Amino acid sequence: DYKGQKLAEQIFQGIILVSAIIGFIYGYITEQFGWTVYIVMAGFALSCLLTLPPWPMYRRSPLKWLPVQELGTEEKKPADRKPKRHTKS
């Protein structure tokens, strides 16, 4: 559903943003760029774990689909149609 997709996107972006800020601050303090990368990668992995599987919190308002309809007798079958002829210019 669309509300679940919006929630997943907000969670994903929030975790990435927070981990990037924490990673930057920690990497700046320790003067190690590698820690920044590791913290951002851990945030990415956590956000993937929370948003990629179809958790029930993302499926609270499912979409209602139309019922299946059989072909009516009014519609022409593809074999009954006349082939289109292209005119030469």
Side-chain angles (χ1 to χ4, degrees):
D1 64 57
Y2 296 115
K3 291 179 183 178
Q5 289 177 1
K6 183 179 179 181
L7 176 63
E9 182 70 23
Q10 288 173 342
I11 290 172
F12 181 79
Q13 288 180 358
I15 292 174
I16 294 294
L17 180 65
V18 169
S19 68
I21 291 170
I22 292 171
F24 178 77
I25 291 170
Y26 187 76
Y28 184 77
I29 291 170
T30 60
E31 297 180 0
Q32 294 289 323
F33 182 71
W35 280 106
T36 301
V37 173
Y38 293 145
I39 292 172
V40 171
M41 287 173 41
F44 178 75
L46 177 65
S47 65
C48 286
L49 180 67
L50 292 176
T51 58
L52 289 180
W55 299 108
M57 65 183 175
Y58 302 130
R59 297 183 287 153
R60 289 188 180 159
S61 52
L63 298 176
K64 295 179 183 174
W65 295 85
L66 293 175
V68 177
Q69 296 178 354
E70 298 295 326
L71 284 176
T73 55
E74 297 174 4
E75 295 182 30
K76 291 184 177 181
K77 295 179 183 175
D80 295 341
R81 294 183 186 158
K82 294 181 182 178
K84 293 184 179 180
R85 296 185 183 192
H86 297 286
T87 59
K88 294 182 181 178
S89 304

